[in-house]
Amino acid sequence: MVLDLGENCMERADGEGMATTGADVQESEPILEKPKPVRARARTSSITQRDRLLHNGPQTQTCTSTLGNTQLEQRAKCAVGGNSRGAEPSDGPRRPLSLEIKPQRLRANHHQPDRKVVQPPWRCGAPSPPVRSLTSPSLGPGGWMRRSESTCTMNATAPPRAGKGRMRPATSLPHIARGIGATPLPTPSTPRGPCLLVALRPTNLEQERQTFFQSDYKYEPQFEYTSPEPSSVLEKYKEGSGLFLSQAVGIMECVLRKFGTYENFEEVTGGSVLPKSRVWSTARKYLQKEGCVGEVVVCLSDELLSQAVMMVESCRPTLTINLSGARQHWLEGMLRHEIGTHYLRGVNNSMQPWATAVGRKQFGLKPANPTEEGLASLHSVLLRKQPFLWRAALLYYTVYHAANMSFSQLFSHIARFVQDPAVRWEYCLRAKRGQTDTSKPGCFSKDQVYLDGILRILRHRRNIDFKMLTSLGKVSYEDVERLRPFAVLHKTKIPHFMRDQERYLQQLDHIVTVNELNDAELQELIP
C-alpha cells in the first residue's frame, strides 16, 4: 500500500473549511497569514517546523535590554521570557525539544482529558459481527478486501485545532479504540475468502481488455482468477430473469427520449468527475449528517467493478469508492446508498435478536435481498431532480441477454443504449464475471437484484413502514410487521432523508412518475 500524504490521504481538521461550493472542484491554494503574537500552544507546529527542529535543534532566543543588568541576569530573563508554556526556569541544561519524544498513546490523550472513545455499536455489548461485506445479507466469514492505494479515516472526534483549513495526514488519525477489557473478536473457524467483488475480478483484466479493443470488438476474452468462486456461488447466479425486462427497457427508452444518448444523460445529470480532495470533503460532510463521524474509513480505488462497496476490514467499517464514478451530482447519492442504507441498517441489525445466523433461522427470516439492494438503489436517486433508474435498468437488461450471448455479441447488442465502448465493456464485464471462456453463453445474475428490489418496494410503498424497516436491520419488507414486537429500537439510527415520512413517500412517487412506471402493471407482476 502506497500512501500519498500530499494529496490522497489528507483530511481537513476544521469543519468550517469543508463547506461545498463551486470553487471546491478545484483545489485551492493555501493562504499564508502573518503570524499573530499569541501564546503558543502544545503541538501546533506544522510538519515543516517539526522537521526543522529534528535537523537543527531549537533556535537560540536573543534578548536585548537597556536596563544595564549583568549578562547572567539577561540570560535568566531570556530563559523565562522564551518559555511559551510558562514553565519555571531550570537550573540544569535543557533537553532539546527535538529529542523530547512522547509515545503516541500519551500524545493522543495530551490536554484531552474529556475525550471519549468512539466505538462501533457492536463494541458496546451487542454481538460482534463477522468480518464480511456490509452490502451482503449473508453472514459468512468472507469479508477480506485488498486495501486501495489511497486511504482516509473520516474522524472528527477530536476538538478543532487552531488554524482553519489545516491539513493533516490520514496516517496520524487514530483508529477506533477497542477499549479497556474489550473482548477480542472471535477468529473465524474457516479461512476467510476474498470479497465477491474482488474474487470475481480477473487477474488478466487489462491484457484481455486491450486484446478485445484491438480486435475491433470481435475477440472473446479468456479470463483468469486468483480465487475462483465455488461452483455453488456461480450456480446460484447463473440464471437471468426476464420478469421486469419490459420495465427495464421502458426506463432506458425514457432516458434516451429526454437526453438523446446515455453519454449526454451522464454529463447533464452526473456532472464532472470530482478530484480526490472534493470526494474526501463530501464524504466527511455526509458522515456528519448521519451522526457517524469517526466510525467509517473511506478509501478511493480505481480497481472496483462497482461504483462503491461497504466492507468490514480490520474490524473497521470501510467504504471504498470507485474514483471514475465519483461525479459531482451523483456522489451523495452513492453515500446514501452505502452509508445511509447498508451501513446504518447493518448497525441497527447488530442490536437485534436476529443479528446472527442462528437468530435469523430461529425467527424464520426471509433473505434480506432484494429488499436491501432495492432500498439502497432508490436512495441513490432519491433527492435528484431527475431520478432516473438507468443504471439498475441497464444492469438488469445486460444480465438477461448475457445468459444467451457471448461477450462480443453482448457488447454489440447493448450499443443500442450505450455508445461509449469503455462503458459497454464495464457492463459486459459485470454480466460475464466468473466466466473463464466468455465465448459461451452465461451470466452472473446478481446485478438483477437492484431493479428487482426497486420495483417490489415501489409496488408496496404505501404499506411499508420505512422507519421500522430500517430500524430492524437486514430484513425483508415482508417481515416487518411480524418482527415489530421483538424489535430493539433503543439507539437505532434512521438516515436523515427518511425522518420525514410524508416527504419520503412523495419522493418515491416522483421516482415512479419520472421513470414512467405503471402501478397497475406492478400490482399485476408482484402480488
Side-chain angles (χ1 to χ4, degrees), residues 8 17 40 49 65 91 104 133 166 191 241 246 256 310 325 328 370 386 401 417 423 433 438 450 463 496:
N8 296 354
Q49 292 170 333
S65 174
D91 295 333
Q104 186 172 359
S133 168
R166 185 185 301 276
S241 170
S246 175
L256 296 181
M310 193 76 193
Q328 181 180 3
Q386 302 180 87
H401 287 287
F417 298 108
V423 176
R433 57 185 168 173
T438 63
Y450 302 105
N463 303 319
H496 74 281

Coordinates of all heavy atoms in Angstrom, one line a residue, residues 8 17 40 49 65 91 104 133 166 191 241 246 256 310 325 328 370 386 401 417 423 433 438 450 463 496:
N8 N -3.6 12.2 -1.6 CA -4.6 11.1 -1.4 C -5.1 10.9 0.0 O -6.2 10.4 0.2 CB -4.0 9.8 -1.9 CG -3.6 9.9 -3.4 OD1 -3.9 10.8 -4.0 ND2 -3.0 8.8 -3.9
G17 N -14.0 24.6 7.3 CA -13.3 24.6 6.0 C -13.9 23.6 5.0 O -13.4 23.5 3.9
A40 N 1.8 30.6 22.4 CA 2.0 29.3 21.7 C 1.4 28.2 22.5 O 1.4 28.2 23.7 CB 3.4 29.0 21.4
Q49 N 8.0 22.7 10.4 CA 8.7 23.2 11.6 C 9.2 22.1 12.4 O 10.4 22.2 13.0 CB 7.7 24.1 12.5 CG 7.3 25.4 11.8 CD 6.1 26.0 12.5 OE1 5.4 25.4 13.2 NE2 6.0 27.3 12.4
S65 N 18.4 44.5 26.2 CA 17.9 45.2 27.3 C 18.6 46.5 27.5 O 19.8 46.6 27.2 CB 17.9 44.4 28.6 OG 17.5 45.2 29.7
D91 N 17.6 24.9 36.4 CA 19.0 25.1 36.7 C 19.9 24.4 35.8 O 21.0 24.8 35.5 CB 19.2 24.8 38.2 CG 18.5 25.7 39.1 OD1 18.2 26.8 38.7 OD2 18.1 25.2 40.2
Q104 N 3.1 7.9 21.2 CA 1.8 8.4 20.5 C 0.6 8.2 21.4 O -0.3 9.0 21.3 CB 1.7 7.6 19.2 CG 0.5 8.2 18.3 CD 0.5 7.5 17.0 OE1 1.3 6.7 16.7 NE2 -0.5 7.9 16.2
S133 N -18.8 -8.4 4.0 CA -19.3 -7.2 3.3 C -20.6 -6.7 3.9 O -21.5 -7.5 4.1 CB -19.5 -7.6 1.8 OG -20.2 -6.6 1.2
R166 N -6.4 23.6 8.2 CA -5.2 22.9 8.3 C -5.4 21.5 7.8 O -6.4 20.9 8.1 CB -4.7 22.9 9.7 CG -3.3 22.3 9.9 CD -2.9 22.2 11.4 NE -2.9 23.6 12.0 CZ -1.9 24.4 11.9 NH1 -0.8 24.0 11.3 NH2 -2.0 25.6 12.5
P191 N -11.1 -20.4 7.0 CA -10.3 -19.3 6.4 C -11.2 -18.3 5.7 O -12.2 -18.7 5.0 CB -9.4 -20.1 5.4 CG -9.4 -21.5 5.9 CD -10.8 -21.7 6.5
S241 N -33.3 -13.5 -15.1 CA -34.7 -13.4 -15.1 C -35.2 -12.3 -16.1 O -34.5 -11.3 -16.4 CB -35.2 -13.0 -13.7 OG -36.6 -12.7 -13.8
S246 N -39.5 -5.6 -19.5 CA -40.3 -4.6 -20.1 C -40.1 -3.3 -19.4 O -39.9 -2.2 -20.0 CB -41.8 -4.9 -20.1 OG -42.6 -3.9 -20.6
L256 N -33.5 8.0 -23.1 CA -33.0 8.4 -24.4 C -33.9 9.4 -25.1 O -33.4 10.2 -25.8 CB -32.8 7.1 -25.2 CG -31.8 6.1 -24.8 CD1 -31.8 4.9 -25.7 CD2 -30.4 6.7 -24.6
M310 N -19.2 -1.4 0.5 CA -19.1 -1.2 2.0 C -18.6 -2.5 2.6 O -19.3 -3.6 2.4 CB -20.4 -0.8 2.6 CG -20.4 -0.3 4.0 SD -19.7 1.4 4.1 CE -19.4 1.6 5.8
G325 N -16.4 6.9 -10.9 CA -17.8 7.1 -10.8 C -18.2 8.2 -9.8 O -19.4 8.4 -9.5
Q328 N -20.0 14.8 -9.6 CA -20.4 15.9 -8.8 C -21.8 15.8 -8.2 O -22.1 16.0 -7.0 CB -20.4 17.2 -9.6 CG -20.7 18.5 -8.9 CD -20.6 19.7 -9.8 OE1 -20.3 19.5 -11.0 NE2 -20.9 20.9 -9.3
P370 N -34.2 -9.2 -2.2 CA -33.8 -8.0 -2.9 C -34.2 -6.7 -2.1 O -33.9 -5.6 -2.7 CB -34.7 -8.1 -4.2 CG -35.9 -8.8 -3.8 CD -35.5 -9.8 -2.7
Q386 N -34.0 14.7 -11.4 CA -34.4 13.7 -12.4 C -34.0 12.3 -12.0 O -32.9 11.8 -12.5 CB -33.9 14.1 -13.8 CG -34.3 15.5 -14.2 CD -33.8 15.9 -15.6 OE1 -34.4 15.6 -16.6 NE2 -32.6 16.6 -15.6
H401 N -29.6 -10.7 -21.3 CA -29.1 -11.1 -22.6 C -27.8 -11.8 -22.5 O -27.4 -12.6 -23.4 CB -29.0 -9.9 -23.5 CG -30.4 -9.4 -23.9 ND1 -31.1 -10.0 -24.8 CD2 -31.1 -8.3 -23.5 CE1 -32.3 -9.3 -25.0 NE2 -32.3 -8.3 -24.2
F417 N -28.1 1.2 -26.4 CA -28.3 2.1 -25.2 C -27.1 2.8 -24.8 O -27.2 3.9 -24.2 CB -28.9 1.3 -24.0 CG -30.2 0.6 -24.3 CD1 -30.3 -0.7 -24.5 CD2 -31.4 1.4 -24.4 CE1 -31.6 -1.3 -24.7 CE2 -32.6 0.8 -24.6 CZ -32.7 -0.5 -24.8
V423 N -17.6 2.2 -21.5 CA -18.8 2.0 -20.6 C -19.4 0.6 -20.9 O -19.8 -0.2 -20.0 CB -19.8 3.1 -20.7 CG1 -21.0 2.8 -19.9 CG2 -19.2 4.4 -20.3
R433 N -18.8 -11.8 -15.3 CA -17.8 -12.1 -14.3 C -18.0 -13.5 -13.8 O -19.2 -14.0 -13.6 CB -17.8 -11.1 -13.2 CG -19.2 -10.9 -12.5 CD -19.1 -9.8 -11.5 NE -20.4 -9.4 -11.0 CZ -20.7 -8.6 -10.0 NH1 -19.7 -8.0 -9.4 NH2 -21.9 -8.3 -9.7
T438 N -15.5 -16.6 -22.3 CA -16.7 -15.8 -22.5 C -17.3 -16.0 -23.9 O -18.3 -15.3 -24.2 CB -16.4 -14.3 -22.3 OG1 -15.4 -13.9 -23.2 CG2 -15.8 -14.1 -20.9
Y450 N -31.0 -5.3 -8.1 CA -31.2 -3.8 -7.9 C -32.6 -3.4 -8.4 O -33.4 -2.9 -7.7 CB -30.1 -3.0 -8.6 CG -28.7 -3.3 -8.1 CD1 -27.8 -4.0 -8.9 CD2 -28.3 -2.9 -6.8 CE1 -26.6 -4.3 -8.4 CE2 -27.0 -3.2 -6.4 CZ -26.2 -3.9 -7.1 OH -24.9 -4.2 -6.7
N463 N -47.7 0.6 1.9 CA -47.9 -0.3 3.0 C -46.7 -0.6 3.9 O -46.8 -1.3 4.9 CB -48.5 -1.7 2.5 CG -49.7 -1.5 1.6 OD1 -50.6 -0.7 2.0 ND2 -49.8 -2.3 0.5
H496 N -31.0 10.6 7.7 CA -31.6 11.9 7.8 C -32.7 12.1 6.7 O -33.7 12.8 6.9 CB -30.6 13.0 7.6 CG -30.0 13.2 6.2 ND1 -29.1 12.3 5.7 CD2 -30.3 14.1 5.3 CE1 -28.8 12.7 4.4 NE2 -29.6 13.8 4.2

